[in-house]
């Protein structure tokens, strides 16, 4: 069936794209471009980020990367769990009878445990990639490690999500590179090199970053503990609709009502100072943290060129489309070769859809995660100070990953 051609743009009368599988919009005047999503970040943060990026566009190397005041405010936060731990130990050692002391000690240990370092876990479908399976990939990683002054990577896993990053995984805190296949397949070899180099630099964290990261985790947990959640509500017997599911909220027992009041009281008394402290820490740390990220981007651009470094940041915006296509293929039982399915999807995405995603991401100040500045500011700064593109030895043998990709898809059915 031949569909009638799209009419011209109603705003500026220039031709519109014809591919109806993707959103129709006008790249000349922006007609039908979806409205910008509401930003997650508060207005002060967006304003500060904008000023920082503007000043770095003028003078890339200006300003400190680390905030002494944020560090000094972080240290006492890390000491919060200490009295609980010491108190528990003291009870067990000095207090008799032990059967009386033990339950109190247990309560103190549980409180301490709430503040334990977070343990990152991999998704269930993650598949390890070994050196023998992927010699070229490991070869590239070894060279990159030497270039970035970081230890060699010993663990690489392939996942079906879109994240490419180095994480400390599991109880043994194993330094692991996650390669999210949908992102990997939309990047060309040079762009992959840029993403991997950035991940290695991100992972090279000093004492300052570790202390700040741990303190923000502790105080973030505290803030969550004093913020009333759905489970803390004792309920009043009314019916609630939540995400399409009808939930009957029962009349709470006296215990629940007491608990609910305690949480409300805790929230009213402790909530504002704890949340305020958390915001203050983030605020003091923001400019330094983002300067560090911009500097990492610059360093990557010096290895490989500013254009592949910037393009890599934009290309990963296509990963969601590829992820959804893979999901569909898995559902229909047509994902025998997930790598090929992803590659085909990526190749089919028209240029106007890519341009649209970049614009929408920019309008919403989208970013790869909360630790990074808005993506459009990063690409803007990279392109404001161009460096020549160099050819590098980059990973391009996707055959090495084929078996792991299949295993990841198969594990989804288990
Ligand atoms: Zn138009
Ligand atoms: Zn980074």
């Amino acid at each position: 069936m031949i569909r009638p051609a799209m009419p011209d743009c109603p705003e500026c009368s220039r031709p519109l794209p014809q591919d109806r599988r993707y959103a129709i919009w006008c790249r000349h005047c922006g007609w039908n471009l979806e409205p910008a999503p509401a930003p997650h970040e508060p207005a002060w943060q967006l304003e500060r980020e904008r000023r920082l990026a503007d000043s770095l566009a003028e003078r890339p190397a200006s300003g400190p990367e680390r905030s002494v005041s944020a560090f000094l405010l972080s240290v006492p936060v890390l000491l919060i769990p200490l009295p609980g731990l010491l108190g528990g130990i003291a009870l067990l050692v000095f207090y008799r009878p032990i059967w009386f002391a033990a339950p109190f000690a247990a309560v103190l240990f549980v409180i301490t445990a709430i503040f334990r370092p977070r343990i990152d876990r991999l998704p269930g479908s993650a598949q390890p990639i070994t050196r023998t399976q992927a010699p070229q990939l490991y070869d590239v990683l070894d060279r990159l490690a030497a270039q970035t002054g970081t230890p060699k990577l010993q663990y690489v896993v392939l996942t079906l999500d879109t994240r490419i990053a180095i994480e400390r995984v599991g109880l043994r805190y194993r330094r692991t590179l996650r390669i999210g296949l949908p992102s990997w397949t939309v990047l060309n070899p040079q762009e992959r090199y840029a993403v991997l180099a950035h991940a290695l630099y991100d992972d090279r964290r000093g004492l300052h970053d570790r202390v700040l990261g741990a303190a923000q985790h502790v105080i973030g947990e505290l803030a969550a503990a004093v913020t009333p959640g759905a489970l803390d509500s004792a309920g009043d017997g009314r019916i609630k609709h939540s995400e399409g599911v009808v939930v009957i909220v029962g009349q709470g027992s006296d215990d629940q009502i007491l608990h609910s009041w305690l949480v409300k009281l805790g929230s009213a008394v402790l909530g504002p100072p704890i949340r305020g402290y958390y915001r203050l820490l983030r605020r003091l740390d923001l400019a330094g943290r983002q300067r560090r990220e911009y500097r990492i981007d610059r360093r990557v651009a010096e290895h490989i060129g500013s254009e592949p470094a910037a393009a890599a940041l934009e290309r990963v915006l296509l990963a969601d489309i590829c992820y959804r296509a893979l999901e569909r293929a898995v559902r229909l039982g047509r994902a025998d070769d997930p790598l090929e399915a992803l590659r085909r999807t990526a190749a089919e995405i028209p240029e106007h859809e890519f341009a649209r995603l970049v614009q929408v991401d920019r309008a919403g100040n989208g970013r790869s995660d909360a630790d990074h500045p808005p993506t459009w500011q990063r690409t803007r700064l990279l392109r404001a100070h161009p460096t020549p593109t160099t050819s590098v030895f980059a990973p391009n043998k996707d055959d090495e990953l084929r078996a792991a990709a299949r295993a990841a898809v198969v594990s989804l059915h288990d």
Side-chain angles (χ1 to χ4, degrees), residues 89-328:
I89 294 171
L91 270 177
L92 288 182
V93 173
F94 299 116
Y95 201 87
R96 292 294 176 268
I98 188 92
W99 60 263
F100 188 77
F104 289 102
V107 169
L108 287 172
F109 289 143
V110 167
I111 291 172
T112 311
I114 292 174
F115 299 109
R116 76 197 179 282
R118 187 190 0 221
I119 294 166
D120 284 327
R121 297 198 183 282
L122 293 168
S125 59
Q127 297 296 321
I129 302 170
T130 61
R131 259 179 203 278
T132 39
Q133 261 178 320
Q136 193 209 31
L137 176 65
Y138 273 93
D139 198 9
V140 171
L141 291 174
D142 289 349
R143 289 178 195 223
L144 262 169
Q147 203 169 38
T148 54
T150 51
K152 281 187 184 180
L153 276 158
Q154 304 299 350
Y155 300 100
V156 179
V157 296
L158 185 136
T159 67
L160 296 179
D161 56 52
T162 57
R163 189 166 168 75
I164 301 179
I166 295 171
E167 287 177 1
R168 309 288 158 142
V169 171
L171 287 170
R172 288 160 70 190
Y173 214 54
R174 201 180 248 185
R175 183 163 167 263
T176 307
L177 170 66
R178 295 171 63 141
I179 296 184
L181 201 57
S183 295
W184 189 252
T185 40
V186 298
L187 299 171
N188 71 26
Q190 271 175 325
E191 292 158 356
R192 289 173 182 178
Y193 194 92
V195 170
L196 292 174
H198 189 105
L200 280 164
Y201 280 124
D202 267 349
D203 181 57
R204 205 174 64 173
R205 285 146 47 95
L207 177 72
H208 176 96
D209 304 332
R210 286 180 201 287
V211 167
L212 253 71
Q216 287 183 10
H217 167 67
V218 167
I219 197 126
E221 293 275 297
L222 262 181
V226 295
T227 303
L231 290 175
D232 297 316
S233 159
D236 48 11
R238 273 182 310 175
I239 292 171
K240 276 190 188 170
H241 296 268
S242 101
E243 292 181 11
V245 183
V246 179
V247 183
I248 298 170
V249 184
Q251 193 83 43
S253 68
D254 287 351
D255 262 11
Q256 279 175 316
I257 290 169
L258 177 68
H259 174 72
S260 153
W261 275 104
L262 283 178
V263 170
K264 277 187 189 134
L265 187 72
S267 167
V269 177
L270 299 173
I274 290 173
R275 283 191 288 271
Y277 205 95
Y278 181 70
R279 265 199 303 274
L280 181 65
L281 264 186
R282 297 278 303 176
R283 204 173 180 134
L284 288 171
D285 182 37
L286 182 77
R289 185 158 30 97
Q290 297 206 348
R291 270 193 204 102
R292 210 148 63 231
E293 292 296 342
Y294 287 124
R295 246 161 246 176
I296 291 177
D297 283 343
R298 283 242 64 75
R299 235 172 277 154
V300 171
E302 278 157 24
H303 294 316
I304 185 138
S306 48
E307 194 41 47
L313 294 173
E314 291 172 340
R315 293 282 300 171
V316 292
L317 296 173
L318 298 172
D320 275 337
I321 296 180
C322 296
Y323 174 77
R324 286 197 299 271
L326 180 63
E327 233 182 10
R328 211 161 40 237

